[in-house]
Amino acid sequence: MRIVITGAAGMIGRKLTARLIADGKLTGRQISGLHLQDIVPVHVPPADFAVTAETSDLANPGVTEALAAREADVIFHLAGVVSGEAERDFDKGYRANLDGARALFDAIRLREDYCPRVVYASSIAVFGAPFPDAIGDDFQQVPLTSYGAQKLIGELLLGDYSRRGFLDGIGLRLPTICVRPGKPNLAASGFFSSIIREPLAGKPAVLPVSRDVVHTHASPRSAVGFLLHAAGLSSERLGARRNVTLPGVAVSIGEQIEALRRVAGDKAVALIRDEPDPETRAIVDFWPQRFDARRARDLGFTAETTFDDIIRVHVEDELGGSL
C-alpha cells in the first residue's frame, strides 16, 4: 500500500499522517510508502515504513506528473487555500484550488494501467442560499463564493474522470472542522474554532458575527476518520454519485458558547468579545447551516453528536486530556 498526501503540511494533513503512521495500515493493507507534498516544507516524522516529502506547487509544470509516476494506491488530495483567502485573492484561489486539482487528475489520467483511489477534500461551500431547514442529498449545488465554485468544479472533474475510468474518486464535502489547534488561519470560518480554542488556553477571542448564526461542525479527529473511511469504500457502493455530504453537529454560536461553559466554566466564556465584522458576516450569510447527510451515514461515515463532544476531543487531543 503506497499513499500520497497533497497539502500534507496543513492541520488535517498532519493529523492524517500521524494516524497512518500509528496504524501502519490502510484498508487492511500494510503501508509500504507514504509521500507528503505541500507548497511549504513538510515535517517528516519517523515511521516503520518509508516516508518522503517534497515542497512543490501542484500547478507548476511537471509536479503532478512526478506525483502520478509514484503510482500510489491511494491519493489524499487535501491541497488548496482556504475560503477567506480564496475570496480575497481570486487568482490564487483558482490556481491552488482548481488548477492544481485539474493538473493532478490529468497526470493520473495520462498514465497507462493506473487507476488509484483519489480522496478529494471538498467543502459544504459548494452549496448556496436560499437553503431549506436541512440540506438533503439532492439539494442543488449553487456556490455563492469563489472558494465554493472552485470546490464544485473539482467535484465535477472528479466525477467525470471516475466515470471514464481514469481514477477512482470520492469527494468529501467536509463540514467546518472545529476545534482547529494551533494559530488562526485565513479561513473565514476560523472564528468558530478561535472562540473555543483561545478561551480554553486562557486567552481572549473575538467573535465577528452574531450568536444566532448556525453552522455544522466536526472535529479534526472525525475529519481524519472521514478520510480513512473514504479510502476503503467500494466503487459499487458509491455508484455514479462520487461526492458525499458528510455528517456533523449543527449548532448556533450561542450553543457553542454554552457548550464551552459546560466544559470549562464561566471564566472561559467571559474571554469572548463580540466585535461584529460586516465582511465576515457577508461571507457567513452564504453558508449552509444544517445537513441531513443520510447517504453519508448509510455509507458508514460518523461524527460527533454534540458540540460538548467536539470540545472534549480538543481537550483530549490537544490539551493533554484536562484543562
Side-chain angles (χ1 to χ4, degrees), residues 80-143:
V81 298
V82 293
S83 53
E85 191 173 7
E87 201 66 18
R88 284 189 288 272
D89 192 330
F90 185 86
D91 291 327
K92 184 177 184 179
Y94 272 90
R95 178 181 175 87
N97 294 331
L98 178 57
D99 296 348
R102 175 71 188 277
L104 178 62
F105 297 168
D106 269 340
I108 294 168
R109 174 177 66 89
L110 294 173
R111 291 198 68 80
E112 293 185 8
D113 301 319
Y114 178 49
C115 184
R117 167 52 57 93
V118 176
V119 181
Y120 170 64
S122 188
S123 168
I124 57 175
V126 301
F127 298 108
F131 301 117
D133 181 58
I135 292 175
D137 291 313
D138 295 321
F139 187 74
Q140 186 175 4
Q141 296 88 54
V142 185

Tab-separated table of all heavy atoms in Angstrom, residues 80-143:
chain	number	residue	atom	x	y	z
A	80	GLY	N	-4.765	23.087	-1.136
A	80	GLY	CA	-5.609	24.203	-1.551
A	80	GLY	C	-5.488	25.344	-0.567
A	80	GLY	O	-4.840	25.226	0.482
A	81	VAL	N	-6.104	26.476	-0.902
A	81	VAL	CA	-6.168	27.605	0.029
A	81	VAL	C	-7.578	27.672	0.590
A	81	VAL	O	-8.537	27.185	0.000
A	81	VAL	CB	-5.784	28.941	-0.646
A	81	VAL	CG1	-4.346	28.889	-1.134
A	81	VAL	CG2	-6.729	29.288	-1.789
A	82	VAL	N	-7.700	28.285	1.763
A	82	VAL	CA	-8.959	28.277	2.491
A	82	VAL	C	-9.896	29.369	1.991
A	82	VAL	O	-9.533	30.219	1.185
A	82	VAL	CB	-8.711	28.407	4.003
A	82	VAL	CG1	-8.010	27.162	4.535
A	82	VAL	CG2	-7.876	29.663	4.302
A	83	SER	N	-11.121	29.352	2.519
A	83	SER	CA	-12.220	30.153	1.967
A	83	SER	C	-11.944	31.651	1.932
A	83	SER	O	-12.116	32.292	0.890
A	83	SER	CB	-13.487	29.873	2.773
A	83	SER	OG	-13.259	30.064	4.164
A	84	GLY	N	-11.536	32.222	3.073
A	84	GLY	CA	-11.309	33.658	3.111
A	84	GLY	C	-10.202	34.094	2.171
A	84	GLY	O	-10.313	35.124	1.490
A	85	GLU	N	-9.135	33.306	2.107
A	85	GLU	CA	-8.014	33.620	1.219
A	85	GLU	C	-8.437	33.516	-0.232
A	85	GLU	O	-8.069	34.351	-1.067
A	85	GLU	CB	-6.852	32.678	1.520
A	85	GLU	CG	-5.545	33.058	0.865
A	85	GLU	CD	-4.385	32.197	1.327
A	85	GLU	OE1	-4.624	31.218	2.065
A	85	GLU	OE2	-3.244	32.516	0.953
A	86	ALA	N	-9.234	32.498	-0.575
A	86	ALA	CA	-9.699	32.331	-1.948
A	86	ALA	C	-10.609	33.476	-2.376
A	86	ALA	O	-10.636	33.860	-3.547
A	86	ALA	CB	-10.429	31.001	-2.101
A	87	GLU	N	-11.353	34.024	-1.428
A	87	GLU	CA	-12.251	35.130	-1.743
A	87	GLU	C	-11.485	36.433	-1.919
A	87	GLU	O	-11.819	37.248	-2.775
A	87	GLU	CB	-13.301	35.273	-0.639
A	87	GLU	CG	-14.550	36.008	-1.058
A	87	GLU	CD	-15.369	35.266	-2.107
A	87	GLU	OE1	-15.186	34.055	-2.296
A	87	GLU	OE2	-16.195	35.931	-2.768
A	88	ARG	N	-10.434	36.623	-1.125
A	88	ARG	CA	-9.656	37.854	-1.208
A	88	ARG	C	-8.715	37.868	-2.400
A	88	ARG	O	-8.437	38.923	-2.969
A	88	ARG	CB	-8.866	38.061	0.089
A	88	ARG	CG	-9.705	38.556	1.250
A	88	ARG	CD	-8.845	38.940	2.438
A	88	ARG	NE	-8.291	37.773	3.102
A	88	ARG	CZ	-8.905	37.107	4.073
A	88	ARG	NH1	-10.100	37.500	4.477
A	88	ARG	NH2	-8.343	36.058	4.650
A	89	ASP	N	-8.188	36.713	-2.780
A	89	ASP	CA	-7.212	36.627	-3.882
A	89	ASP	C	-7.761	35.666	-4.930
A	89	ASP	O	-7.548	34.460	-4.876
A	89	ASP	CB	-5.863	36.137	-3.356
A	89	ASP	CG	-4.743	36.311	-4.368
A	89	ASP	OD1	-5.015	36.256	-5.586
A	89	ASP	OD2	-3.577	36.483	-3.940
A	90	PHE	N	-8.487	36.206	-5.893
A	90	PHE	CA	-9.187	35.411	-6.904
A	90	PHE	C	-8.238	34.496	-7.658
A	90	PHE	O	-8.485	33.291	-7.802
A	90	PHE	CB	-9.904	36.353	-7.869
A	90	PHE	CG	-10.748	35.674	-8.891
A	90	PHE	CD1	-12.068	35.324	-8.619
A	90	PHE	CD2	-10.240	35.391	-10.158
A	90	PHE	CE1	-12.855	34.706	-9.565
A	90	PHE	CE2	-11.022	34.769	-11.117
A	90	PHE	CZ	-12.333	34.423	-10.817
A	91	ASP	N	-7.142	35.046	-8.157
A	91	ASP	CA	-6.204	34.257	-8.961
A	91	ASP	C	-5.567	33.143	-8.144
A	91	ASP	O	-5.439	32.001	-8.613
A	91	ASP	CB	-5.112	35.158	-9.548
A	91	ASP	CG	-5.647	36.107	-10.608
A	91	ASP	OD1	-6.590	35.712	-11.328
A	91	ASP	OD2	-5.146	37.243	-10.701
A	92	LYS	N	-5.168	33.452	-6.922
A	92	LYS	CA	-4.540	32.444	-6.063
A	92	LYS	C	-5.521	31.321	-5.756
A	92	LYS	O	-5.153	30.135	-5.759
A	92	LYS	CB	-4.051	33.086	-4.776
A	92	LYS	CG	-3.290	32.139	-3.856
A	92	LYS	CD	-2.770	32.880	-2.635
A	92	LYS	CE	-1.933	31.972	-1.751
A	92	LYS	NZ	-1.406	32.702	-0.567
A	93	GLY	N	-6.767	31.678	-5.510
A	93	GLY	CA	-7.772	30.667	-5.207
A	93	GLY	C	-7.951	29.682	-6.347
A	93	GLY	O	-7.975	28.457	-6.133
A	94	TYR	N	-8.082	30.192	-7.550
A	94	TYR	CA	-8.283	29.296	-8.698
A	94	TYR	C	-7.028	28.494	-9.015
A	94	TYR	O	-7.112	27.330	-9.408
A	94	TYR	CB	-8.771	30.086	-9.917
A	94	TYR	CG	-10.277	30.191	-9.935
A	94	TYR	CD1	-10.925	31.249	-9.310
A	94	TYR	CD2	-11.056	29.210	-10.535
A	94	TYR	CE1	-12.314	31.328	-9.289
A	94	TYR	CE2	-12.439	29.275	-10.530
A	94	TYR	CZ	-13.064	30.340	-9.908
A	94	TYR	OH	-14.437	30.402	-9.878
A	95	ARG	N	-5.871	29.098	-8.819
A	95	ARG	CA	-4.631	28.354	-9.070
A	95	ARG	C	-4.477	27.199	-8.087
A	95	ARG	O	-4.196	26.063	-8.476
A	95	ARG	CB	-3.431	29.294	-8.952
A	95	ARG	CG	-2.076	28.587	-9.161
A	95	ARG	CD	-0.919	29.560	-9.015
A	95	ARG	NE	0.355	28.852	-9.089
A	95	ARG	CZ	0.996	28.574	-10.221
A	95	ARG	NH1	0.464	28.935	-11.381
A	95	ARG	NH2	2.148	27.925	-10.214
A	96	ALA	N	-4.700	27.488	-6.804
A	96	ALA	CA	-4.477	26.466	-5.786
A	96	ALA	C	-5.592	25.437	-5.738
A	96	ALA	O	-5.332	24.235	-5.623
A	96	ALA	CB	-4.321	27.132	-4.421
A	97	ASN	N	-6.836	25.901	-5.840
A	97	ASN	CA	-7.966	25.002	-5.617
A	97	ASN	C	-8.466	24.312	-6.876
A	97	ASN	O	-9.076	23.240	-6.785
A	97	ASN	CB	-9.123	25.765	-4.964
A	97	ASN	CG	-8.794	26.231	-3.566
A	97	ASN	OD1	-7.997	25.608	-2.872
A	97	ASN	ND2	-9.389	27.334	-3.144
A	98	LEU	N	-8.231	24.918	-8.037
A	98	LEU	CA	-8.706	24.296	-9.276
A	98	LEU	C	-7.572	23.834	-10.174
A	98	LEU	O	-7.530	22.667	-10.580
A	98	LEU	CB	-9.620	25.254	-10.038
A	98	LEU	CG	-10.130	24.707	-11.379
A	98	LEU	CD1	-10.877	23.394	-11.196
A	98	LEU	CD2	-11.010	25.735	-12.067
A	99	ASP	N	-6.627	24.727	-10.481
A	99	ASP	CA	-5.554	24.354	-11.407
A	99	ASP	C	-4.753	23.170	-10.884
A	99	ASP	O	-4.400	22.263	-11.642
A	99	ASP	CB	-4.620	25.539	-11.659
A	99	ASP	CG	-5.322	26.698	-12.361
A	99	ASP	OD1	-6.452	26.498	-12.841
A	99	ASP	OD2	-4.740	27.804	-12.417
A	100	GLY	N	-4.458	23.175	-9.588
A	100	GLY	CA	-3.702	22.066	-9.016
A	100	GLY	C	-4.461	20.757	-9.082
A	100	GLY	O	-3.897	19.709	-9.426
A	101	ALA	N	-5.759	20.795	-8.776
A	101	ALA	CA	-6.574	19.573	-8.836
A	101	ALA	C	-6.674	19.058	-10.268
A	101	ALA	O	-6.518	17.850	-10.526
A	101	ALA	CB	-7.968	19.849	-8.269
A	102	ARG	N	-6.925	19.935	-11.212
A	102	ARG	CA	-7.039	19.512	-12.617
A	102	ARG	C	-5.718	18.922	-13.112
A	102	ARG	O	-5.691	17.895	-13.801
A	102	ARG	CB	-7.435	20.711	-13.492
A	102	ARG	CG	-7.456	20.420	-14.998
A	102	ARG	CD	-8.614	19.521	-15.395
A	102	ARG	NE	-8.541	19.093	-16.778
A	102	ARG	CZ	-8.971	19.807	-17.822
A	102	ARG	NH1	-9.487	21.014	-17.638
A	102	ARG	NH2	-8.884	19.331	-19.048
A	103	ALA	N	-4.604	19.542	-12.724
A	103	ALA	CA	-3.294	19.024	-13.141
A	103	ALA	C	-3.054	17.635	-12.560
A	103	ALA	O	-2.538	16.741	-13.248
A	103	ALA	CB	-2.187	19.988	-12.700
A	104	LEU	N	-3.440	17.442	-11.300
A	104	LEU	CA	-3.253	16.132	-10.681
A	104	LEU	C	-4.128	15.082	-11.356
A	104	LEU	O	-3.654	13.982	-11.687
A	104	LEU	CB	-3.590	16.208	-9.191
A	104	LEU	CG	-3.493	14.902	-8.410
A	104	LEU	CD1	-2.071	14.359	-8.425
A	104	LEU	CD2	-3.982	15.100	-6.975
A	105	PHE	N	-5.396	15.391	-11.574
A	105	PHE	CA	-6.290	14.431	-12.208
A	105	PHE	C	-5.815	14.084	-13.616
A	105	PHE	O	-5.878	12.924	-14.036
A	105	PHE	CB	-7.718	14.985	-12.258
A	105	PHE	CG	-8.346	15.233	-10.913
A	105	PHE	CD1	-9.528	15.954	-10.809
A	105	PHE	CD2	-7.774	14.757	-9.732
A	105	PHE	CE1	-10.116	16.194	-9.584
A	105	PHE	CE2	-8.349	14.994	-8.491
A	105	PHE	CZ	-9.529	15.721	-8.425
A	106	ASP	N	-5.329	15.085	-14.346
A	106	ASP	CA	-4.848	14.818	-15.708
A	106	ASP	C	-3.576	13.986	-15.709
A	106	ASP	O	-3.390	13.122	-16.565
A	106	ASP	CB	-4.608	16.128	-16.458
A	106	ASP	CG	-5.842	16.586	-17.223
A	106	ASP	OD1	-6.728	15.755	-17.484
A	106	ASP	OD2	-5.924	17.778	-17.556
A	107	ALA	N	-2.696	14.247	-14.762
A	107	ALA	CA	-1.464	13.457	-14.687
A	107	ALA	C	-1.787	11.985	-14.423
A	107	ALA	O	-1.151	11.082	-14.990
A	107	ALA	CB	-0.548	14.011	-13.594
A	108	ILE	N	-2.784	11.749	-13.590
A	108	ILE	CA	-3.220	10.368	-13.346
A	108	ILE	C	-3.830	9.788	-14.617
A	108	ILE	O	-3.544	8.648	-15.011
A	108	ILE	CB	-4.231	10.342	-12.184
A	108	ILE	CG1	-3.559	10.763	-10.876
A	108	ILE	CG2	-4.858	8.955	-12.044
A	108	ILE	CD1	-4.534	11.045	-9.742
A	109	ARG	N	-4.656	10.568	-15.284
A	109	ARG	CA	-5.343	10.102	-16.497
A	109	ARG	C	-4.369	9.659	-17.582
A	109	ARG	O	-4.616	8.682	-18.298
A	109	ARG	CB	-6.227	11.236	-17.030
A	109	ARG	CG	-6.898	10.950	-18.370
A	109	ARG	CD	-7.813	12.092	-18.771
A	109	ARG	NE	-7.107	13.323	-19.055
A	109	ARG	CZ	-6.626	13.651	-20.264
A	109	ARG	NH1	-6.756	12.807	-21.283
A	109	ARG	NH2	-6.004	14.794	-20.448
A	110	LEU	N	-3.263	10.350	-17.687
A	110	LEU	CA	-2.335	10.098	-18.785
A	110	LEU	C	-1.394	8.925	-18.542
A	110	LEU	O	-0.639	8.552	-19.441
A	110	LEU	CB	-1.531	11.374	-19.074
A	110	LEU	CG	-2.369	12.548	-19.609
A	110	LEU	CD1	-1.543	13.816	-19.708
A	110	LEU	CD2	-2.987	12.197	-20.961
A	111	ARG	N	-1.449	8.335	-17.365
A	111	ARG	CA	-0.629	7.150	-17.112
A	111	ARG	C	-1.401	5.897	-17.522
A	111	ARG	O	-2.589	5.771	-17.254
A	111	ARG	CB	-0.223	7.054	-15.630
A	111	ARG	CG	0.762	8.141	-15.224
A	111	ARG	CD	1.464	7.775	-13.930
A	111	ARG	NE	2.363	6.638	-14.077
A	111	ARG	CZ	3.586	6.715	-14.586
A	111	ARG	NH1	4.057	7.874	-15.016
A	111	ARG	NH2	4.337	5.633	-14.671
A	112	GLU	N	-0.716	4.983	-18.144
A	112	GLU	CA	-1.353	3.752	-18.605
A	112	GLU	C	-1.516	2.768	-17.445
A	112	GLU	O	-0.642	2.646	-16.587
A	112	GLU	CB	-0.526	3.103	-19.723
A	112	GLU	CG	-0.491	3.918	-21.012
A	112	GLU	CD	0.237	3.195	-22.115
A	112	GLU	OE1	0.592	2.012	-21.937
A	112	GLU	OE2	0.461	3.810	-23.171
A	113	ASP	N	-2.636	2.072	-17.448
A	113	ASP	CA	-2.895	0.999	-16.474
A	113	ASP	C	-2.738	1.479	-15.029
A	113	ASP	O	-2.162	0.783	-14.179
A	113	ASP	CB	-1.958	-0.195	-16.728
A	113	ASP	CG	-2.126	-0.760	-18.135
A	113	ASP	OD1	-3.272	-0.854	-18.595
A	113	ASP	OD2	-1.097	-1.074	-18.757
A	114	TYR	N	-3.261	2.663	-14.760
A	114	TYR	CA	-3.162	3.216	-13.410
A	114	TYR	C	-4.487	3.875	-13.052
A	114	TYR	O	-4.958	4.777	-13.760
A	114	TYR	CB	-2.030	4.240	-13.335
A	114	TYR	CG	-1.867	4.908	-11.985
A	114	TYR	CD1	-1.829	4.158	-10.810
A	114	TYR	CD2	-1.741	6.293	-11.884
A	114	TYR	CE1	-1.677	4.765	-9.573
A	114	TYR	CE2	-1.574	6.910	-10.657
A	114	TYR	CZ	-1.548	6.149	-9.496
A	114	TYR	OH	-1.398	6.758	-8.277
A	115	CYS	N	-5.111	3.425	-11.980
A	115	CYS	CA	-6.410	3.971	-11.568
A	115	CYS	C	-6.482	3.960	-10.037
A	115	CYS	O	-7.076	3.057	-9.430
A	115	CYS	CB	-7.552	3.158	-12.168
A	115	CYS	SG	-9.201	3.824	-11.815
A	116	PRO	N	-5.874	4.964	-9.377
A	116	PRO	CA	-5.834	4.968	-7.912
A	116	PRO	C	-7.145	5.446	-7.300
A	116	PRO	O	-7.961	6.109	-7.959
A	116	PRO	CB	-4.727	5.975	-7.618
A	116	PRO	CG	-4.840	6.952	-8.752
A	116	PRO	CD	-5.185	6.123	-9.959
A	117	ARG	N	-7.370	5.126	-6.046
A	117	ARG	CA	-8.429	5.774	-5.278
A	117	ARG	C	-7.953	7.186	-4.945
A	117	ARG	O	-6.872	7.369	-4.361
A	117	ARG	CB	-8.722	4.977	-3.998
A	117	ARG	CG	-9.575	5.680	-2.925
A	117	ARG	CD	-10.901	6.259	-3.411
A	117	ARG	NE	-11.786	5.323	-4.041
A	117	ARG	CZ	-12.739	4.655	-3.432
A	117	ARG	NH1	-12.878	4.765	-2.120
A	117	ARG	NH2	-13.552	3.855	-4.109
A	118	VAL	N	-8.718	8.187	-5.331
A	118	VAL	CA	-8.414	9.588	-5.033
A	118	VAL	C	-9.486	10.113	-4.080
A	118	VAL	O	-10.676	10.127	-4.421
A	118	VAL	CB	-8.372	10.445	-6.314
A	118	VAL	CG1	-8.154	11.922	-5.952
A	118	VAL	CG2	-7.273	9.963	-7.257
A	119	VAL	N	-9.061	10.504	-2.886
A	119	VAL	CA	-9.967	11.074	-1.894
A	119	VAL	C	-9.777	12.592	-1.939
A	119	VAL	O	-8.703	13.104	-1.609
A	119	VAL	CB	-9.678	10.530	-0.486
A	119	VAL	CG1	-10.666	11.127	0.518
A	119	VAL	CG2	-9.761	9.002	-0.469
A	120	TYR	N	-10.814	13.284	-2.388
A	120	TYR	CA	-10.741	14.725	-2.651
A	120	TYR	C	-11.445	15.489	-1.531
A	120	TYR	O	-12.622	15.244	-1.252
A	120	TYR	CB	-11.408	14.999	-3.998
A	120	TYR	CG	-11.638	16.456	-4.343
A	120	TYR	CD1	-10.563	17.323	-4.521
A	120	TYR	CD2	-12.926	16.949	-4.537
A	120	TYR	CE1	-10.779	18.647	-4.866
A	120	TYR	CE2	-13.146	18.269	-4.891
A	120	TYR	CZ	-12.066	19.115	-5.048
A	120	TYR	OH	-12.283	20.435	-5.387
A	121	ALA	N	-10.743	16.405	-0.899
A	121	ALA	CA	-11.321	17.220	0.164
A	121	ALA	C	-12.104	18.371	-0.441
A	121	ALA	O	-11.534	19.354	-0.904
A	121	ALA	CB	-10.217	17.745	1.084
A	122	SER	N	-13.431	18.233	-0.457
A	122	SER	CA	-14.306	19.305	-0.922
A	122	SER	C	-14.863	20.044	0.290
A	122	SER	O	-14.278	20.000	1.381
A	122	SER	CB	-15.402	18.741	-1.816
A	122	SER	OG	-16.139	19.802	-2.419
A	123	SER	N	-15.991	20.711	0.127
A	123	SER	CA	-16.477	21.592	1.191
A	123	SER	C	-17.983	21.792	1.080
A	123	SER	O	-18.552	21.741	-0.026
A	123	SER	CB	-15.768	22.946	1.091
A	123	SER	OG	-16.390	23.915	1.906
A	124	ILE	N	-18.630	22.077	2.212
A	124	ILE	CA	-20.035	22.450	2.183
A	124	ILE	C	-20.243	23.815	1.529
A	124	ILE	O	-21.382	24.212	1.268
A	124	ILE	CB	-20.646	22.447	3.592
A	124	ILE	CG1	-19.871	23.375	4.539
A	124	ILE	CG2	-20.710	21.025	4.139
A	124	ILE	CD1	-20.499	23.507	5.926
A	125	ALA	N	-19.152	24.519	1.187
A	125	ALA	CA	-19.263	25.790	0.473
A	125	ALA	C	-19.772	25.616	-0.952
A	125	ALA	O	-20.061	26.610	-1.627
A	125	ALA	CB	-17.908	26.505	0.452
A	126	VAL	N	-19.902	24.374	-1.436
A	126	VAL	CA	-20.471	24.155	-2.772
A	126	VAL	C	-21.959	24.487	-2.794
A	126	VAL	O	-22.558	24.610	-3.868
A	126	VAL	CB	-20.259	22.709	-3.273
A	126	VAL	CG1	-18.779	22.380	-3.340
A	126	VAL	CG2	-20.996	21.697	-2.414
A	127	PHE	N	-22.580	24.646	-1.620
A	127	PHE	CA	-23.994	24.987	-1.544
A	127	PHE	C	-24.167	26.485	-1.323
A	127	PHE	O	-23.366	27.117	-0.641
A	127	PHE	CB	-24.666	24.234	-0.400
A	127	PHE	CG	-24.631	22.742	-0.536
A	127	PHE	CD1	-23.802	21.980	0.277
A	127	PHE	CD2	-25.401	22.095	-1.486
A	127	PHE	CE1	-23.768	20.599	0.167
A	127	PHE	CE2	-25.366	20.719	-1.609
A	127	PHE	CZ	-24.545	19.967	-0.796
A	128	GLY	N	-25.227	27.041	-1.904
A	128	GLY	CA	-25.512	28.458	-1.724
A	128	GLY	C	-26.968	28.706	-1.391
A	128	GLY	O	-27.846	27.904	-1.722
A	129	ALA	N	-27.218	29.839	-0.738
A	129	ALA	CA	-28.573	30.216	-0.331
A	129	ALA	C	-29.448	30.502	-1.559
A	129	ALA	O	-28.923	30.818	-2.629
A	129	ALA	CB	-28.492	31.449	0.566
A	130	PRO	N	-30.786	30.394	-1.394
A	130	PRO	CA	-31.542	30.126	-0.163
A	130	PRO	C	-31.538	28.642	0.195
A	130	PRO	O	-31.553	27.783	-0.683
A	130	PRO	CB	-32.955	30.608	-0.508
A	130	PRO	CG	-33.063	30.412	-1.983
A	130	PRO	CD	-31.683	30.704	-2.526
A	131	PHE	N	-31.527	28.367	1.490
A	131	PHE	CA	-31.424	27.000	1.976
A	131	PHE	C	-32.740	26.518	2.588
A	131	PHE	O	-33.477	27.314	3.182
A	131	PHE	CB	-30.345	26.909	3.067
A	131	PHE	CG	-28.982	27.329	2.614
A	131	PHE	CD1	-28.357	28.423	3.186
A	131	PHE	CD2	-28.322	26.628	1.621
A	131	PHE	CE1	-27.085	28.813	2.781
A	131	PHE	CE2	-27.052	27.009	1.205
A	131	PHE	CZ	-26.438	28.100	1.780
A	132	PRO	N	-32.988	25.218	2.493
A	132	PRO	CA	-34.065	24.642	3.297
A	132	PRO	C	-33.603	24.537	4.746
A	132	PRO	O	-32.449	24.846	5.063
A	132	PRO	CB	-34.257	23.257	2.674
A	132	PRO	CG	-32.895	22.910	2.152
A	132	PRO	CD	-32.296	24.212	1.685
A	133	ASP	N	-34.486	24.076	5.619
A	133	ASP	CA	-34.115	23.936	7.031
A	133	ASP	C	-32.925	22.995	7.190
A	133	ASP	O	-32.021	23.257	7.983
A	133	ASP	CB	-35.307	23.422	7.841
A	133	ASP	CG	-34.971	23.276	9.319
A	133	ASP	OD1	-34.585	24.294	9.930
A	133	ASP	OD2	-35.073	22.149	9.837
A	134	ALA	N	-32.941	21.887	6.432
A	134	ALA	CA	-31.808	20.954	6.427
A	134	ALA	C	-31.552	20.530	4.986
A	134	ALA	O	-32.477	20.116	4.279
A	134	ALA	CB	-32.091	19.733	7.296
A	135	ILE	N	-30.315	20.642	4.545
A	135	ILE	CA	-29.951	20.319	3.167
A	135	ILE	C	-29.877	18.807	2.996
A	135	ILE	O	-29.134	18.129	3.702
A	135	ILE	CB	-28.612	20.973	2.794
A	135	ILE	CG1	-28.783	22.493	2.740
A	135	ILE	CG2	-28.082	20.453	1.468
A	135	ILE	CD1	-27.503	23.240	2.512
A	136	GLY	N	-30.657	18.290	2.073
A	136	GLY	CA	-30.649	16.866	1.793
A	136	GLY	C	-29.639	16.508	0.718
A	136	GLY	O	-28.971	17.377	0.137
A	137	ASP	N	-29.540	15.223	0.435
A	137	ASP	CA	-28.531	14.746	-0.515
A	137	ASP	C	-28.818	15.167	-1.953
A	137	ASP	O	-27.927	15.088	-2.802
A	137	ASP	CB	-28.431	13.224	-0.432
A	137	ASP	CG	-27.828	12.752	0.885
A	137	ASP	OD1	-26.790	13.327	1.289
A	137	ASP	OD2	-28.385	11.837	1.506
A	138	ASP	N	-30.046	15.624	-2.237
A	138	ASP	CA	-30.398	16.004	-3.603
A	138	ASP	C	-30.488	17.516	-3.790
A	138	ASP	O	-30.920	17.983	-4.841
A	138	ASP	CB	-31.735	15.360	-4.001
A	138	ASP	CG	-31.655	13.845	-4.049
A	138	ASP	OD1	-30.611	13.326	-4.510
A	138	ASP	OD2	-32.618	13.179	-3.624
A	139	PHE	N	-30.066	18.283	-2.792
A	139	PHE	CA	-30.113	19.746	-2.904
A	139	PHE	C	-29.090	20.219	-3.937
A	139	PHE	O	-27.952	19.745	-3.973
A	139	PHE	CB	-29.820	20.385	-1.550
A	139	PHE	CG	-30.008	21.874	-1.520
A	139	PHE	CD1	-31.273	22.426	-1.527
A	139	PHE	CD2	-28.913	22.724	-1.478
A	139	PHE	CE1	-31.452	23.802	-1.487
A	139	PHE	CE2	-29.075	24.097	-1.439
A	139	PHE	CZ	-30.352	24.642	-1.451
A	140	GLN	N	-29.506	21.155	-4.781
A	140	GLN	CA	-28.638	21.624	-5.869
A	140	GLN	C	-27.440	22.406	-5.331
A	140	GLN	O	-27.557	23.172	-4.384
A	140	GLN	CB	-29.434	22.505	-6.834
A	140	GLN	CG	-28.651	22.914	-8.075
A	140	GLN	CD	-29.515	23.688	-9.056
A	140	GLN	OE1	-30.669	23.983	-8.779
A	140	GLN	NE2	-28.961	24.002	-10.208
A	141	GLN	N	-26.298	22.223	-5.999
A	141	GLN	CA	-25.087	22.959	-5.626
A	141	GLN	C	-25.004	24.249	-6.438
A	141	GLN	O	-24.794	24.209	-7.658
A	141	GLN	CB	-23.829	22.119	-5.870
A	141	GLN	CG	-23.726	20.867	-5.017
A	141	GLN	CD	-24.409	19.685	-5.655
A	141	GLN	OE1	-24.131	19.325	-6.788
A	141	GLN	NE2	-25.318	19.057	-4.934
A	142	VAL	N	-25.171	25.381	-5.777
A	142	VAL	CA	-25.041	26.691	-6.416
A	142	VAL	C	-24.183	27.561	-5.499
A	142	VAL	O	-24.701	28.351	-4.718
A	142	VAL	CB	-26.415	27.351	-6.666
A	142	VAL	CG1	-26.234	28.664	-7.440
A	142	VAL	CG2	-27.341	26.419	-7.431
A	143	PRO	N	-22.861	27.416	-5.544
A	143	PRO	CA	-21.998	28.160	-4.619
A	143	PRO	C	-22.082	29.664	-4.840
A	143	PRO	O	-22.231	30.131	-5.976
A	143	PRO	CB	-20.601	27.628	-4.936
A	143	PRO	CG	-20.694	27.088	-6.329
A	143	PRO	CD	-22.087	26.568	-6.472
